[in-house]
Amino acid sequence: MNTVFAAPVFDSTVIFEGNELFKGRSAAENWAKKLGAELDCVTTVQKTGTGWVICGNVDGEDCIWAVFGQRLKRINRE
């Protein structure tokens, strides 16, 4: 069985500040559910600029995920 990180993200995306984000909230929410189940953590989605990111807390560290090359990627927000 493939993990959610190996599954391709074919949802529409937008580029904002050099990061590829989910274009729609519902797509981000669907992936957030999958990611939360994969990592056994609570995930939410948040509007960032012109797109949406997935937010969660893994091992006590706040994390943000977006899309990179049709895969989920953890990004750093400064």
Side-chain angles (χ1 to χ4, degrees):
M1 179 166 117
N2 288 336
T3 70
V4 69
F5 297 103
V9 176
F10 289 120
D11 296 295
S12 297
T13 60
V14 294
I15 304 296
F16 180 74
E17 294 182 350
N19 292 308
E20 189 176 2
L21 311 179
F22 290 95
K23 185 175 183 178
R25 180 180 186 155
S26 62
E29 288 174 336
N30 287 336
W31 280 98
K33 289 176 190 173
K34 295 175 188 178
L35 182 62
E38 177 86 14
L39 298 178
D40 193 28
C41 70
V42 175
T43 55
T44 60
V45 297
Q46 180 178 13
K47 179 80 170 175
T48 301
T50 57
W52 294 84
V53 295
I54 300 170
C55 303
N57 188 292
V58 178
D59 296 331
E61 185 176 346
D62 290 332
C63 304
I64 299 170
W65 292 271
V67 180
F68 181 78
Q70 294 185 355
R71 301 289 189 262
L72 289 181
K73 176 189 175 198
R74 191 167 147 192
I75 61 172
N76 295 325
R77 191 172 2 169
E78 299 172 23

